[in-house]
């Protein structure tokens, strides 16, 4: 009983000093603060002393150049194939295509551009950063950039539009397409092999695109077929 | 009584920067930066907080005992601020020169608990009441070892006057007494250190066991200030804010002010009783008269300045110790608190009182 009393006093002193020593060590080390090294730096994990806080807006860790955060679309290289919108698991890419009457340009890798993008919106508020859209992109115009700080006051500001067409241009292109389709319908109803021959050469790519485009819209969502799995389980119970 | 000219602005300034220091120390101990945004390195953070507090509405709960609720913070502050009137600042500048200074001070500090209980009871809130009851139990329990540890010092100094106690601990002890100061207070050693002064004539060196007595004093003063690890009356994690739960705005800031004033008071008292009051820590070593150089000449402004400088800087070291302890130790349980107070500190303080009495006999 008495020995326990003295043991208590002794342990109180030893443990208190240990605690005070530990906290004082941290207090002394507060003279140093962690440097903002990149995680690729070999010293990154060796900084275990000093102030750990990152004073974020004033300083930030360097992000690797291949960081995969905010999406960016280089609209000049985009062929508006809609693959990204289709693969997106959260449907954050919204594209409104307008078929051109012919090839109106080429991307940097030489792919002909045949569809105008009246709208190419990416809602970063919905994005889940899976990166599937960038892998399916045939011209590699859709990429993830290392910019990560794009917080906004209004949630609508998370919607980034990459299309560069003005409303007037969109209207013009739509009219052109309508006229073109109209002409084509007329030519189909009264086929004149003589006249269409030179035309076909120019127009040939268009029906191809048309086919792909029409196929784009068809497979909207696979029909939901309820599986009997849950029911089976219930039967087991 | 002119010390109020010094203490009132000093107290306000101390609270502003004490809160800042507390936040910074806690931050550094936890590897953080602490306040950084307001002013350079966050220096004006507390000023901004104070401005915010003053603007806030002074809410009195409907079911509270209105009169008691409103005066409780003022009672707490008055009680603590009265104790400041007794403290000496420098050889020539003393508060109220009460012959029974220490006794009066202890009596006044004890009244603090009345303010706390008033606040807790009048709030009509379970958290407040629990906090107040805890506070009463705690302060009664810790008043005993605190008083006993102070009594140990008084046995050595043979006076209750704080200014006399201060004079005894330095090169100017000749002003009040003809008795020479010997090393460790013992005439047997035959080493007269009256002229040497410095740290050698401080009470902790005159009677080395007083250091352990100071440990008891320090622990019980933490409990007296309701500071962590003995902050049960306002235990944030269990009682919201204890007896201050219902207070807001200006009245709450008075409570917070009193809390820091209490910290300052017990630190000042600890320095006066144990660590040489306003005396310099540097001794005279032969021709190198460090003590004389760092004390000024008695009666001139230099003595005032050096006195205040040494007293305040020693007090700040004590306050750092309090903050350091706060951010090191977790809060004790109520039964641990009681067992520490009654079963450990009180009997040990009694034993030290015996030792000090014997030492005093040897000093004659």
């Amino acid at each position: 009983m008495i020995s326990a009393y003295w043991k208590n006093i002794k342990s109180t002193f030893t443990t208190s000093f240990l605690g005070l020593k530990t906290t004082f060590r941290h207090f002394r080390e507060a003279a140093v603060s962690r440097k903002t090294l990149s995680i690729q730096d070999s010293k990154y994990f060796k900084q275990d002393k000093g102030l750990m806080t990152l004073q974020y807006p004033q300083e930030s860790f360097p992000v690797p150049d291949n960081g995969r955060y905010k999406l960016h679309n280089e609209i000049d290289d985009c062929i508006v194939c809609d693959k990204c919108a289709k693969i997106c698991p959260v449907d954050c890419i919204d594209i409104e295509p307008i078929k051109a009457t012919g090839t109106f340009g080429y991307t940097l890798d030489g792919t002909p551009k045949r569809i105008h993008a009246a709208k190419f919106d990416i809602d970063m508020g919905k994005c889940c950063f899976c990166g599937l859209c960038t892998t399916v992109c045939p011209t590699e115009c859709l990429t993830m950039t290392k910019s990560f700080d794009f917080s906004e006051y209004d949630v609508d500001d998370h919607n980034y539009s990459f299309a560069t067409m003005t409303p007037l241009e969109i209207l013009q292109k739509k009219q052109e397409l309508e006229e073109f389709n109209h002409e084509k319908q007329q030519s189909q109803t009264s086929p004149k092999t003589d006249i269409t021959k030179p035309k076909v050469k120019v127009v040939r790519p268009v029906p191809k695109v048309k086919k792909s485009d029409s196929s784009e819209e068809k497979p909207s969502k696979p029909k939901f077929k309820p599986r009997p799995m849950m029911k089976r389980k219930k039967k087991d119970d | 009584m002119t010390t109020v000219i010094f203490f009132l602005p000093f107290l306000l300034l101390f609270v502003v920067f004490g809160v800042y220091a507390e936040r910074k120390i806690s931050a550094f101990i936890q590897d953080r930066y602490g306040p950084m945004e307001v002013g350079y390195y966050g220096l004006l953070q507390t000023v901004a907080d104070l401005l915010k507090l003053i603007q806030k509405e002074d809410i009195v709960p409907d079911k509270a005992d209105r009169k008691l609720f409103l005066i409780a913070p003022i009672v707490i502050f008055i009680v603590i601020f009265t104790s400041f009137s007794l403290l000496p600042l420098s050889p020539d500048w003393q508060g109220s020169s009460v012959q029974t200074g220490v006794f009066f001070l202890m009596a006044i500090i004890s009244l603090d608990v009345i303010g706390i209980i008033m606040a807790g009871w009048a709030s009509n809130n379970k958290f407040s009441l629990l906090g107040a009851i805890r506070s009463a139990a705690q302060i009664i329990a810790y008043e005993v070892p605190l008083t006993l540890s102070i009594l140990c010092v008084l046995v050595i100094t043979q006076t209750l006057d704080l200014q006399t106690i201060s004079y005894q601990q330095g090169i100017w002890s000749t002003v009040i007494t003809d008795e020479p100061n010997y090393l460790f207070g013992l005439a047997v050693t035959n080493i007269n250190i009256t002229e040497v002064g410095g740290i050698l004539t401080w009470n902790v060196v005159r009677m080395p066991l007083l250091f352990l007595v100071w440990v008891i004093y320090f622990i019980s003063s933490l409990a007296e200030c309701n500071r962590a690890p003995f902050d049960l009356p306002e235990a944030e994690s269990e009682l919201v804010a204890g007896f201050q739960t219902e207070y807001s705005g200006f009245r709450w800031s008075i409570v917070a002010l009193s809390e820091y004033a209490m910290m300052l008071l017990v630190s000042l008292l600890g320095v006066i009783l144990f660590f040489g009051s306003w005396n310099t820590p540097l001794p005279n070593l032969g021709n190198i008269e460090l003590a004389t150089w760092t004390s000024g000449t008695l009666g001139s402004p230099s003595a005032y300045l050096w006195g205040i400088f040494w007293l305040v800087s020693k007090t700040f070291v004590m306050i750092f110790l309090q903050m350091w302890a706060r951010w090191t130790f977790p809060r004790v349980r109520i039964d641990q608190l009681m067992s520490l107070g009654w079963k450990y500190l009180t009997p040990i303080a009694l034993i030290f009182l015996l030792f000090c009495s014997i030492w005093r006999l040897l000093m004659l």
Side-chain angles (χ1 to χ4, degrees):
Chain A
M1 192 58 189
I2 290 294
S3 70
Y5 185 82
W6 294 110
K7 264 183 198 161
N8 281 346
I9 293 176
K10 202 187 152 197
S11 74
T12 305
F13 269 92
T14 49
T15 51
S16 298
F17 274 115
L18 200 68
L20 287 171
K21 237 167 69 184
T22 313
T23 46
F24 194 73
R25 186 168 49 87
H26 281 271
F27 183 76
R28 257 189 312 123
E29 284 167 1
V32 206
S33 53
R34 195 161 72 153
K35 290 188 183 64
T36 51
L37 293 176
S38 163
I39 194 159
Q40 290 157 320
D41 199 294
S42 58
K43 287 176 194 160
Y44 181 84
F45 288 106
K46 284 170 187 165
Q47 293 187 303
D48 54 350
K49 277 179 188 172
L51 303 178
M52 287 291 163
T53 314
L54 180 77
Q55 290 191 279
Y56 174 61
Q58 285 94 352
E59 56 180 32
S60 59
F61 288 123
V63 174
D65 286 335
N66 55 356
R68 294 178 293 189
Y69 309 113
K70 191 175 161 188
L71 281 169
H72 175 75
N73 187 23
E74 198 61 45
I75 198 71
D76 290 342
D77 288 342
C78 182
I79 58 166
V80 201
C81 64
D82 209 31
K83 278 183 179 171
C84 48
K86 267 183 282 180
I87 198 94
C88 182
V90 290
D91 286 340
C92 72
I93 305 177
D94 190 8
I95 298 175
E96 191 191 322
I98 301 172
K99 274 166 272 174
T101 48
T103 305
F104 64 90
Y106 291 91
T107 63
L108 271 179
D109 63 350
T111 317
K113 296 203 284 186
R114 286 156 190 166
I115 310 175
H116 295 287
K119 187 172 161 194
F120 196 107
D121 285 3
I122 301 181
D123 192 345
M124 291 308 291
K126 289 182 194 163
C127 180
C128 69
F129 300 93
C130 62
L132 286 173
C133 48
T134 61
T135 44
V136 295
C137 184
T139 59
E140 294 187 0
C141 67
L142 191 59
T143 48
M144 297 187 106
T145 59
K146 65 179 208 167
S147 148
F148 60 91
D149 185 355
F150 43 97
S151 51
E152 303 282 354
Y153 285 103
D154 189 352
V155 75
D156 291 336
D157 292 341
H158 273 136
N159 200 20
Y160 292 86
S161 30
F162 295 97
T164 50
M165 289 172 82
T166 58
L168 191 68
E169 280 177 329
I170 294 170
L171 208 66
Q172 277 179 344
K173 299 294 172 193
K174 274 184 180 168
Q175 276 176 349
E176 274 176 35
L177 182 69
E178 256 174 54
E179 279 170 25
F180 178 78
N181 282 347
H182 191 67
E183 273 177 35
K184 219 180 74 183
Q185 263 187 345
Q186 278 185 336
S187 63
Q188 273 178 347
T189 47
S190 55
K192 287 165 189 173
T193 47
D194 306 340
I195 311 158
T196 46
K197 259 187 183 178
K199 263 191 181 175
V200 165
K201 274 182 184 174
V202 190
V203 180
R204 202 170 264 162
V206 177
K208 271 185 186 173
V209 175
K210 199 191 170 188
K211 271 179 190 172
S212 68
D213 201 73
S214 59
S215 63
E216 274 166 18
E217 284 162 23
K218 274 177 187 173
S220 54
K221 273 182 186 174
K223 277 183 182 175
F224 178 65
K225 291 168 187 171
R227 286 182 180 178
M229 283 182 73
M230 291 300 285
K231 279 179 184 174
R232 269 182 201 166
K233 270 186 181 175
K234 275 177 186 171
K235 276 172 189 171
D236 290 339
D237 290 332
Chain B
M1 269 308 278
T2 49
T3 46
V4 70
I5 300 163
F6 175 81
F7 272 122
L8 194 57
F10 177 72
L11 194 63
L12 297 174
L13 213 68
F14 165 75
V15 172
V16 169
F17 289 98
V19 173
Y20 173 75
E22 174 111 55
R23 286 170 149 193
K24 277 292 180 193
I25 288 169
S26 73
F28 291 158
I29 281 173
Q30 296 165 355
D31 289 346
R32 298 181 284 116
Y33 274 104
M36 289 293 278
E37 294 297 320
V38 191
Y40 175 74
Y41 214 65
L43 265 169
L44 297 176
Q45 181 65 55
T46 329
V47 179
D49 286 350
L50 267 180
L51 287 177
K52 181 201 77 175
L53 274 175
I54 289 168
Q55 288 173 40
K56 280 194 167 184
E57 190 188 347
D58 185 13
I59 300 170
V60 182
D62 244 8
K63 297 282 158 92
D65 190 333
R66 196 178 166 85
K67 276 181 198 162
L68 283 184
F69 185 84
L70 292 181
I71 58 168
I74 299 163
V75 168
I76 297 176
F77 181 73
I78 287 176
V79 160
I80 291 167
F81 192 66
T82 311
S83 343
F84 277 95
S85 66
L86 299 158
L87 303 177
L89 274 170
S90 72
D92 302 307
W93 201 12
Q94 161 184 24
S96 175
S97 54
V98 184
Q99 288 276 305
T100 53
V102 185
F103 182 72
F104 182 65
L105 203 144
M106 287 309 297
I108 282 281
I109 292 181
S110 311
L111 286 178
D112 178 35
V113 74
I114 291 181
I116 291 176
I117 290 176
M118 264 164 79
W121 181 262
S123 296
N124 199 4
N125 172 316
K126 57 179 177 283
F127 296 121
S128 303
L129 187 59
L130 270 174
I133 290 169
R134 281 185 184 190
S135 173
Q138 177 175 326
I139 289 185
I140 289 168
Y142 278 81
E143 202 97 295
V144 180
L146 187 78
T147 316
L148 284 174
S149 60
I150 290 176
L151 196 57
C152 291
V153 182
L154 299 182
V155 162
I156 301 290
T157 59
Q158 296 284 301
T159 173
L160 286 163
D161 188 354
L162 284 163
Q163 185 69 311
T164 316
I165 293 173
S166 304
Y167 266 114
Q168 283 176 357
Q169 301 179 63
I171 45 172
W172 291 325
S173 60
T174 43
V175 175
I176 48 147
T177 174
D178 295 330
E179 279 180 43
N181 249 330
Y182 291 103
L183 187 64
F184 300 131
L186 301 175
V188 195
T189 56
N190 211 17
I191 305 169
N192 192 333
I193 51 165
T194 317
E195 296 300 317
V196 180
I199 194 167
L200 294 175
T201 44
W202 289 7
N203 275 340
V204 273
V205 182
R206 284 170 80 205
M207 159 52 176
L209 277 180
L210 278 184
F211 184 77
L212 294 173
V213 177
W214 171 76
V215 173
I216 295 174
Y217 172 84
F218 183 70
I219 295 171
S220 29
S221 73
L222 281 182
E224 198 87 337
C225 305
N226 299 332
R227 273 185 73 80
F230 306 107
D231 58 342
L232 290 124
E234 44 177 286
E236 297 99 338
S237 45
E238 13 185 310
L239 295 185
V240 189
F243 65 90
Q244 347 168 332
T245 307
E246 294 291 353
Y247 284 94
S248 65
F250 183 64
R251 268 167 227 283
W252 183 82
S253 48
I254 287 186
V255 174
L257 179 78
S258 326
E259 204 170 292
Y260 275 81
M262 186 71 171
M263 262 174 84
L264 186 68
L265 179 74
V266 292
S267 298
L268 276 166
L269 188 63
V271 167
I272 291 169
L273 292 176
F274 296 92
F275 295 100
S277 193
W278 35 253
N279 286 297
T280 169
L282 306 167
N284 281 332
L285 300 168
N287 286 329
I288 312 163
E289 294 179 326
L290 290 173
T292 320
W293 295 337
T294 54
S295 300
T297 32
L298 203 55
S300 74
S302 61
Y304 283 84
L305 293 177
W306 278 113
I308 291 171
F309 169 74
W310 288 120
L311 186 69
V312 168
S313 29
K314 280 186 251 180
T315 308
F316 283 170
V317 173
M318 294 289 138
I319 283 164
F320 174 74
L321 283 180
Q322 287 187 335
M323 292 179 178
W324 181 17
R326 171 168 178 182
W327 296 104
T328 302
F329 301 121
R331 185 181 311 126
V332 294
R333 257 187 350 248
I334 187 89
D335 61 312
Q336 292 168 333
L337 178 97
M338 287 301 151
S339 122
L340 180 66
W342 291 113
K343 280 157 72 182
Y344 292 89
L345 294 183
T346 307
I348 293 171
L350 278 169
I351 292 168
F352 277 120
L353 182 60
L354 176 70
F355 286 152
C356 287
S357 313
I358 296 168
W359 198 276
R360 179 63 208 177
L361 289 175
L362 298 173
M363 281 168 83
L364 293 172

